[in-house]
């Protein structure tokens, strides 16, 4: 059936309102859309790493999760959900469980690229039938916007402040989607909530219903950390994709597929200039910084085109 | 009829795990507990258990996966030692507060640093306040028996706490001794099915586990957790009584060895208690009134019972195979003296020996030093040194 947002949005919400994430936050939009890809008859066990999503969605005695939910710690959602999946396999074998249960782990970029990287890698390598979703907002937002290895170069964060001598974060972003593709698991993708969110929905569906380990890296802008105008969330997602800062692609059994190629690739400064965290690089004399970011985006985009067999 | 066998302490623990047949075993190798997951993965490979063996990439993930598995509604077990247990630290507390009766086979080894693979109790003693029930074992038989009782204790509705069963690395984990095993069907009937009230995999009653729990409720949850540990004492005794009826092997909170008319006793955990029993026998043959108390249950700490038991003696030496680095004695000593003080037991003179750190061999002659000292104190009523180190070059 062709994707239709109106139809999809009619499905009962599995992540309810009333949670405490900020207005204009990308993460809950991502979570809701991913959960819509579950078949209504399927149960889900959902895990979340410590971070904004978790502390805002399950504050005792309230939970925003209609499915079963587990939070363990910051760096171990991959392992925690893999353990639940292993119990499911064993209990199913013993005939103790009926019906289908799907396993989904959510981690922020800190809980995924950094401190939870080992548990993620282990869970994916072991091939548990689960999906790991990184909602990437490019910093440790929950603890007050500290840099992570997902933070873009030159971004101003509270542990990579733009100072008089050092202009923000000095390192380039880790390319985690590539690292996960190198795990040679059945399904890896990078996506964002753009347009009618078809890309996000269809990838979630594939990830959830592909047997074995799947990884989704999803852009999740944060108005506080990125300092953008709150209502502009969807515009930020769009700019990230149109500039090729955040390409939409998937790697299915090792085969790269680019899902969207902008006809008119926008300059990355269009994405940067609407964010306060890059304000300092727009000052006179700092043009080289923007050029450098542009060169990095171009380099990575071209490499991706090559991997997908599509020369630039 | 019980099965007579001979095997190492590690194999005994692995066999117990096989007979328990848990849903998930998630473990990572570390000397001297490595053999436990090795034996167990062979059982999985041979199809003699229904368990999913999760060969995790670290002990932190082993405990994390156990939390996920147990919260899902399964039985989860693991085995580890020393640095492996230390790497689990964060999640040990989470397992306990989430009231998940996971079972852990702890093969005691010195916690780094320095790096050392041999036995002392610094690993499990470091985890003593993590909210886990802790049972200690003198030999392979006790390790096996304690492990068979662990699920019943932890899963009791009044308890719902994780359980750690400890034995001494190499000394009992690798030593082959005679053992009596229970038949598989008897273990199955004794351990029973695990059907927790709440589980992630109950699709008709979905739950959330592991909240952000702030000032309004956290303290009540901690209080309930503390109550569960208090309740555990009675449950341990009940389960042990049932086990006694099944096997004829009697277990309490601690074992008393030749204490009836003793003037002095040493309090010793795990394998060194075996050595001390030999020395007690020798001294008894010489007419010296010495005895031994071997704690089995360290968490919950049997405050009333241990204070009452020790009140009968003139002098007591508490032996710690772990240092607290508090300049005031090891963990067993501080717990015991605190129990005695709180319960108004001021009669006996109590001294502390820290011994065997890093696997330093503990010989009969070392234990003799302790009993000689105690007999001297009993005679003179004088204590020249409360905090002592045994068998170390100083
Ligand atoms: C072991 C450990 N170290 C540090 C923390 C503190 N901490 C909690 S959440 C967090 C950052 C989360 O960042 P991320 O994963 O990117 O999620 P976000 O809050 O940005 O959504 C940190 C540093 C912790 N809970 N546990
Ligand atoms: S701080 Fe950022 S990531 Fe966290 S809830 Fe608010 S907008 Fe979302
Ligand atoms: Mg983040």
């Amino acid at each position: 059936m062709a994707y239709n947002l109106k139809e999809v949005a009619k499905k009962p919400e599995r992540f309810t309102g009333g949670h405490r994430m900020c207005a204009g936050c990308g993460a809950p939009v991502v979570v809701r859309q991913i959960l819509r890809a579950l078949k209504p008859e399927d149960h889900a066990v959902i895990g979340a790493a410590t971070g904004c999503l978790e502390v805002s969605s399950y504050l005792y005695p309230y939970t925003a999760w209609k499915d079963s939910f587990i939070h363990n710690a910051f760096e171990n959602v991959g392992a925690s959900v893999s353990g639940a999946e292993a119990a499911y396999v064993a209990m199913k074998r013993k005939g103790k469980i009926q019906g289908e249960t799907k396993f989904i782990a959510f981690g922020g970029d800190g809980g995924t690229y950094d401190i939870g990287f080992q548990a993620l890698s282990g869970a994916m390598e072991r091939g548990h039938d689960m999906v790991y979703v990184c909602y990437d907002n490019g910093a440790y937002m929950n603890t007050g916007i500290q840099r992570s290895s997902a933070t873009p170069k030159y971004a101003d964060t509270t542990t990579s402040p733009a100072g008089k001598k050092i202009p923000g974060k000095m390192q380039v972003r880790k390319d985690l989607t590539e690292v996960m593709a190198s795990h040679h698991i059945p399904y890896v993708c990078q996506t964002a909530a753009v347009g009618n969110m078809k890309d996000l929905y269809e990838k979630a569906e594939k990830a959830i219903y592909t047997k074995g380990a799947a990884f989704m890296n999803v852009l999740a802008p944060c108005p506080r950390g990125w300092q953008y105008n709150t209502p502009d969330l969807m515009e930020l997602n769009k700019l990230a994709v149109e500039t090729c800062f955040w390409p939409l692609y998937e790697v299915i059994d090792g085969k790269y597929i680019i899902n969207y190629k902008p006809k008119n690739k926008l300059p990355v400064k269009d994405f940067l200039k609407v964010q306060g965290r890059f304000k300092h690089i727009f000052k006179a004399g700092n043009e080289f910084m923007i050029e450098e970011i542009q060169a990095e985006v171009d380099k990575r985009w071209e490499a991706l085109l090559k991997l997908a067999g599509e020369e630039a | 009829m019980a099965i007579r066998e001979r095997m190492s302490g590690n194999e005994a623990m692995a066999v117990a795990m096989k007979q328990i047949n848990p849903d998930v075993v998630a473990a990572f190798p570390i000397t001297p507990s490595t053999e436990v997951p090795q034996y167990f993965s062979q059982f999985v490979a041979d199809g003699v258990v229904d368990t999913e063996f999760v060969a995790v990439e670290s002990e932190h993930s082993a405990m994390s996966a156990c939390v996920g598995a147990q919260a899902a509604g399964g039985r989860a077990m693991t085995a580890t030692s020393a640095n492996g247990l230390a790497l689990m630290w964060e999640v040990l507390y989470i397992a306990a507060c989430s009231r998940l009766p996971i079972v852990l086979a702890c093969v005691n080894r010195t916690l780094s640093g320095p790096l050392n693979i041999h036995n002392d109790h610094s690993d499990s003693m470091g985890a003593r306040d993590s909210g886990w029930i802790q049972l200690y074992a003198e030999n392979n038989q006790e390790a096996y028996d304690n492990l068979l009782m662990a699920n019943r204790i932890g899963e009791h509705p009044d308890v719902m706490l994780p359980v750690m069963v400890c034995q001494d690395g190499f000394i009992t984990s690798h030593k082959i001794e005679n053992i009596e095993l229970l038949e598989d069907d008897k273990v199955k009937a004794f351990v029973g099915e695990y059907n927790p009230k709440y589980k992630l995999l109950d699709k008709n009653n979905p739950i959330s586990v592991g909240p952000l729990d702030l000032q309004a409720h956290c303290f009540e949850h901690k209080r309930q957790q503390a109550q569960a540990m208090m309740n555990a004492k009675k449950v341990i005794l009940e389960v042990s009584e049932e086990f006694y009826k099944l096997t004829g092997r009697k277990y309490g909170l601690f074992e008393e060895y030749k204490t009836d008319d003793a003037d002095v006793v040493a309090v010793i955990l795990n394998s060194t208690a075996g050595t001390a029993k030999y020395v007690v026998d020798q001294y008894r043959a010489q007419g010296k009134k010495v005895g031994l108390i071997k704690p089995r249950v360290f968490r919950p700490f049997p405050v009333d019972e241990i204070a009452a038991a020790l009140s009968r003696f003139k002098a007591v030496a508490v032996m710690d195979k772990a240092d607290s680095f508090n300049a005031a004695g090891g963990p067993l000593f501080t717990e015991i003296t605190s129990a005695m003080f709180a319960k108004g037991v001021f009669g006996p003179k109590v001294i502390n020996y820290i011994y065997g750190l890093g696997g330093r061999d503990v010989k009969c002659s070392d234990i003799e030093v302790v009993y000689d000292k105690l007999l001297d104190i009993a005679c003179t009523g004088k204590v020249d040194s409360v905090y002592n180190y045994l068998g170390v070059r100083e």
Side-chain angles (χ1 to χ4, degrees):
Chain A
M1 210 180 67
Y3 173 84
N4 178 328
L5 178 59
K6 273 198 186 139
E7 288 306 311
V8 163
K10 277 189 202 150
K11 287 182 160 182
E13 289 290 356
R14 304 180 83 133
F15 182 70
T16 66
H19 61 73
R20 299 175 179 210
M21 303 200 80
C22 307
C25 175
V29 177
V30 166
V31 171
R32 273 165 68 211
Q33 184 70 349
I34 288 175
L35 298 187
R36 281 175 182 144
L38 280 161
K39 291 180 192 155
E41 65 273 23
D42 289 352
H43 174 55
V45 169
I46 298 163
T50 314
C52 273
L53 174 65
E54 183 272 326
V55 302
S56 315
S57 64
Y58 181 23
L59 177 54
Y60 190 88
Y62 305 108
T63 184
W65 305 90
K66 292 248 176 122
D67 289 277
S68 286
F69 174 80
I70 181 164
H71 159 249
N72 189 342
F74 185 17
E75 67 285 60
N76 59 1
V77 66
S80 308
V81 173
S82 82
E85 188 264 357
Y88 171 71
V89 172
M91 288 163 77
K92 202 141 200 198
R93 187 157 55 222
K94 292 178 181 167
K96 284 180 103 175
I97 287 180
Q98 267 66 51
E100 276 289 303
T101 299
K102 293 288 157 193
F103 295 84
I104 306 172
F106 288 100
D109 48 293
T112 306
Y113 286 66
D114 292 345
I115 197 167
F117 182 55
Q118 174 183 312
L120 161 69
S121 178
M124 296 287 103
E125 181 272 333
R126 292 191 300 274
H128 295 274
D129 191 5
M130 62 180 274
V131 185
Y132 190 108
V133 182
C134 175
Y135 68 97
D136 183 349
N137 52 29
Y140 306 158
M141 297 309 178
N142 183 49
T143 39
I145 320 168
Q146 294 85 24
R147 62 91 83 185
S148 77
S149 62
T151 306
K153 188 162 183 184
Y154 295 124
D156 178 24
T157 77
T158 57
T159 52
S160 64
K164 290 197 182 85
K165 280 216 167 122
I166 304 172
K169 190 193 172 196
M170 292 312 289
Q171 301 79 17
V172 295
R173 292 183 63 243
K174 185 192 282 180
D175 190 344
L176 185 67
T177 312
E178 276 309 299
V179 177
M180 297 321 293
S182 298
H183 281 62
H184 298 278
I185 52 178
Y187 189 76
V188 170
C189 73
Q190 187 162 288
T191 177
V194 278
N196 64 359
M197 299 194 278
K198 177 176 187 286
D199 191 80
L200 176 56
Y201 180 87
E202 290 182 346
K203 284 175 178 168
E205 198 171 37
K206 277 186 213 167
I208 295 168
Y209 289 101
T210 296
K211 185 109 191 102
F215 175 79
M216 300 177 70
N217 204 1
V218 192
L219 191 72
C222 162
R224 296 174 62 81
W226 297 16
Q227 300 163 51
Y228 60 82
N229 184 27
T230 300
D232 294 346
L233 166 63
M234 298 308 275
E235 185 60 21
L236 268 121
N237 280 329
K238 190 171 158 206
L239 284 169
V241 172
E242 295 292 340
T243 56
C244 295
F245 170 84
W246 191 265
L248 306 182
Y249 70 102
E250 55 196 344
V251 188
I252 306 178
D253 288 323
K255 192 173 162 14
Y256 279 74
I257 300 158
I258 296 175
N259 309 101
Y260 177 71
K261 276 201 287 182
K263 279 195 200 69
N264 172 27
K265 181 166 163 255
L266 296 180
V268 74
K269 72 169 173 10
D270 291 5
F271 172 61
L272 305 175
K273 74 177 174 228
V274 293
Q275 303 178 49
R277 62 176 172 162
F278 294 112
K279 197 168 66 197
H280 58 291
I281 71 173
F282 286 89
K283 286 197 184 129
N286 287 348
E287 293 77 7
F288 75 96
M289 294 180 195
I290 300 173
E291 281 160 27
E292 205 189 303
I293 296 173
Q294 184 65 58
E296 185 69 26
V297 166
D298 292 347
K299 187 180 89 182
R300 292 191 187 191
W301 174 241
E302 271 149 37
L304 181 63
L305 287 169
K306 232 183 222 153
L307 284 168
E310 306 192 28
E311 294 310 314
Chain B
M1 258 309 281
I3 305 153
R4 291 193 161 279
E5 261 286 6
R6 39 201 323 188
M7 61 179 63
S8 71
N10 274 343
E11 189 175 2
M13 279 178 147
V15 168
M17 285 164 78
K18 178 184 80 174
Q19 294 181 310
I20 292 164
N21 194 13
D23 297 292
V24 173
V25 169
F28 192 83
I30 181 167
T31 305
S33 59
T34 307
E35 287 181 331
V36 179
Q38 279 177 341
Y39 281 118
F40 197 83
S41 47
Q42 191 65 49
F43 299 144
V44 174
D46 294 340
V48 296
V49 287
D50 303 306
T51 313
E52 276 294 293
F53 179 71
V54 187
V56 282
E57 80 300 328
S58 74
E59 290 87 352
H60 194 282
S61 284
M63 189 43 62
S64 303
C66 283
V67 165
Q70 194 86 26
R75 264 194 184 120
M77 298 182 85
T78 187
T80 195
S81 300
N83 299 40
L85 189 63
L87 196 54
M88 290 179 180
W89 233 254
E90 180 194 29
V91 194
L92 291 177
Y93 283 74
I94 295 167
C97 92
S98 305
R99 310 296 295 278
L100 298 171
I102 297 160
V103 172
L104 183 154
C106 176
V107 182
N108 287 113
R109 157 182 159 178
T110 312
L111 185 57
S112 292
L115 179 64
N116 176 318
I117 57 171
H118 293 284
N119 169 253
D120 67 33
H121 302 153
S122 48
D123 50 1
S124 60
M125 279 299 157
R128 66 188 180 274
D129 294 342
S130 62
W132 284 60
I133 290 169
Q134 288 193 339
L135 307 177
Y136 285 80
E138 181 184 329
N139 49 38
N140 61 351
Q141 184 74 60
E142 292 189 7
Y144 171 79
D145 291 350
N146 278 337
L147 211 50
L148 292 187
M149 285 182 259
N151 293 87
R152 287 288 307 281
I153 295 165
E155 293 166 12
H156 191 284
D158 296 342
V159 179
M160 292 300 282
L161 287 175
V163 183
M164 192 180 295
V165 173
C166 307
Q167 67 163 315
D168 281 347
F170 291 116
I171 302 170
T172 61
S173 71
H174 283 63
K175 187 179 63 183
I176 292 169
E177 278 191 296
N178 293 332
I179 190 168
E180 258 190 34
L181 303 177
L182 271 179
E183 293 85 346
D184 290 352
D185 57 327
K186 282 197 183 148
V187 173
K188 198 172 172 202
F190 177 76
V191 175
E193 288 277 311
Y194 180 53
N195 286 312
K197 203 161 151 197
Y198 305 106
K199 49 175 182 263
L200 295 172
L201 289 175
D202 184 352
K203 66 187 292 182
N204 299 317
N205 301 292
I207 55 164
S208 286
V209 177
L212 173 67
D213 194 11
L214 301 178
Q215 299 92 321
H217 300 282
C218 186
F219 198 178
E220 279 71 28
H221 293 149
K222 285 287 161 198
R223 178 64 186 86
Q224 289 168 357
Q225 188 185 331
Q227 189 62 44
M229 189 59 91
M230 294 171 201
N231 298 345
K233 191 163 75 180
K234 180 162 164 270
V235 172
I236 291 168
L237 291 173
E238 285 166 5
V239 171
S240 303
E241 182 60 25
E242 207 184 305
F243 190 81
Y244 169 61
K245 287 191 183 125
L246 184 67
T247 64
R249 292 192 290 277
K250 213 171 175 69
Y251 290 93
L253 301 169
F254 46 86
E255 180 192 335
E256 298 201 26
Y257 187 75
K258 305 204 171 165
T259 53
D260 278 352
D261 62 341
D263 287 332
V264 304
V265 295
V267 184
I268 308 181
L269 289 167
N270 278 11
S271 69
T272 308
T275 313
K277 283 175 184 173
Y278 177 81
V279 176
V280 168
D281 290 347
Q282 305 288 305
Y283 273 42
R284 284 279 169 176
Q286 299 162 26
K288 295 175 182 162
K289 291 186 174 175
V290 300
L292 169 77
I293 288 194
K294 181 187 80 184
R296 170 193 179 219
V297 180
F298 185 69
R299 286 289 181 268
F301 193 74
V303 182
D304 299 278
E305 295 80 358
I306 217 135
L310 294 176
S311 67
R312 294 143 45 206
F313 312 114
K314 290 183 182 145
V316 176
V318 182
M319 308 277 290
D320 270 294
K321 213 169 186 178
D323 202 338
S324 283
F325 299 110
N326 57 357
L332 189 58
F333 175 76
T334 41
E335 298 264 345
I336 283 179
T337 47
S338 145
M340 293 170 79
F341 186 87
K343 298 294 163 185
V345 175
F346 304 116
K349 304 281 184 209
V350 192
I351 56 169
N352 184 214
Y353 281 98
I354 289 175
Y355 74 100
L357 299 191
R360 172 64 50 86
D361 199 17
V362 185
K363 300 185 286 289
C364 291
S365 54
D366 296 311
I367 305 292
E368 286 165 10
V369 169
V370 175
Y371 282 118
D372 290 345
K373 185 57 143 182
L374 284 175
L375 290 167
D376 182 51
I377 293 171
C379 182
T380 62
K382 281 208 186 80
V383 174
D384 50 13
S385 167
V386 176
Y387 310 111
N388 308 282
Y389 288 82
L390 183 68
V392 68
R393 292 184 291 271
E394 294 193 79

